[in-house]
Amino acid sequence: MAYQVLARKWRPQRFDDVVGQQAVTRTLRNALASGRLAHAYLFTGPRGCGKTTVARILAKAINCPNAPKNGFEPCNTCEVCTAITQGRSMDVSEIDGASNNGVDDVRTLRDNVKYPPMQGAYKVIIIDEVHMLSTSAFNALLKTLEEPPKHLVFVFATTEVQKVLPTILSRTQRYDFRRIQLEEIVGNLRKISDADGITITDEALLIVAKKADGSMRDAQSIFDQCVAYCGLEVETARLREALNLIDL
């Protein structure tokens, strides 16, 4: 089997697995438990802090038939969860806002969302880097965003929320994702290293966490690179060589 990078292998599949965003995940779970699911969400924050990951978990949680008895966590074993995880669900569409930013793309999307979901209870449209949509594309989306079909949920993710039109912002529930703290990144990397049989000191993990600058994805990618350089026993001195760091 082809090697899978750590950032993909250890991508959270449940709300409880998401590191550093407890305020967001708790609010979403409480909303599901109380039946207060919004029709449009906006996730904003720096790169690699869990926006798209939480969007996918939310898509599974609102469609998973076992979620209500699991504390509104997706079970990740039913056909609905499996299809969403593998990216083959007909009910969940993940769109790149950078390459589908024209008014014609939005018109096509608007025509497709009229049809009810095939497996779950909701269709979920995830638009990544939504700030890349053109002004005409945003305007074409407004009516559908304000009065969507009952079976439709929008989730927008962006790193540059200041570029999103105020008319879009006013029609969504906004969630701000924060940079992940050093100790949280170190704890996650320690969990990964223990599971994969990698020997590394806490000092070396702290170096990786600082280099990541609050991004869990960056931290896992840097850690992956260091293991490729050092092997399964990562020494601090060799880690500095791999990252081209100067010892203070």
Side-chain angles (χ1 to χ4, degrees):
M1 182 180 290
Y3 176 70
Q4 192 174 36
V5 297
L6 295 178
R8 292 186 62 199
K9 179 181 177 182
W10 290 92
R11 189 167 205 159
Q13 301 298 330
R14 302 169 71 250
F15 286 125
D16 279 347
D17 297 336
V18 179
V19 177
Q21 310 298 346
Q22 287 81 5
V24 174
T25 55
R26 177 184 293 181
T27 305
L28 292 174
R29 285 178 62 183
N30 288 348
L32 293 176
S34 61
R36 301 179 68 88
L37 182 68
H39 66 273
Y41 293 91
L42 176 70
F43 295 165
T44 177
R47 70 189 188 282
C49 62
K51 300 184 295 295
T52 307
T53 294
V54 172
R56 292 179 183 176
I57 296 172
L58 177 64
K60 287 191 285 188
I62 63 179
N63 282 310
C64 176
N66 302 316
K69 58 187 178 186
N70 288 338
F72 292 92
E73 290 275 19
C75 69
N76 291 310
T77 55
C78 67
E79 175 56 28
V80 173
C81 288
T82 304
I84 295 173
T85 301
Q86 295 176 354
R88 55 181 175 83
S89 173
M90 300 295 290
D91 296 337
V92 178
S93 300
E94 193 167 333
I95 300 167
D96 175 24
S99 55
N100 298 277
N101 57 4
V103 67
D104 291 335
D105 297 309
V106 173
R107 282 176 182 155
T108 303
L109 171 66
R110 200 173 55 190
D111 292 338
N112 291 338
V113 297
K114 297 175 183 176
Y115 304 106
M118 298 181 68
Q119 283 184 308
Y122 291 91
K123 268 193 172 183
V124 182
I125 307 297
I126 302 170
I127 304 182
D128 209 2
E129 299 303 337
V130 71
H131 66 272
M132 300 288 283
L133 292 184
S134 64
T135 301
S136 57
F138 271 132
N139 289 332
L141 190 61
L142 282 178
K143 190 62 178 176
T144 305
L145 186 60
E146 187 170 32
E147 298 177 1
K150 291 182 179 180
H151 59 260
L152 183 63
V153 175
F154 282 104
V155 184
F156 301 144
T158 179
T159 53
E160 300 186 51
V161 70
Q162 73 277 4
K163 293 183 180 180
V164 180
L165 295 182
T167 48
I168 295 292
L169 293 175
S170 67
R171 289 167 167 82
T172 61
Q173 273 192 18
R174 174 174 168 172
Y175 290 80
D176 287 270
F177 286 63
R178 64 181 179 88
R179 289 180 183 275
I180 301 173
Q181 302 298 311
L182 285 177
E183 60 270 18
E184 293 171 327
I185 294 178
V186 169
N188 182 263
L189 295 181
R190 174 58 69 194
K191 175 184 173 183
I192 292 172
S193 62
D194 291 344
D196 287 359
I198 299 167
T199 303
I200 185 170
T201 64
D202 287 341
E203 181 188 3
L205 288 179
L206 185 59
I207 291 172
V208 173
K210 286 181 178 178
K211 185 80 172 175
D213 194 27
S215 167
M216 182 61 75
R217 184 175 61 229
D218 284 13
Q220 292 170 342
S221 298
I222 294 167
F223 185 55
D224 222 345
Q225 179 183 345
C226 294
V227 173
Y229 181 81
C230 303
L232 295 180
E233 293 190 10
V234 182
E235 299 175 0
T236 305
R238 297 201 70 201
L239 176 72
R240 292 183 182 278
E241 289 177 14
L243 299 178
N244 288 320
L245 298 178
I246 300 171
D247 197 325
L248 295 176

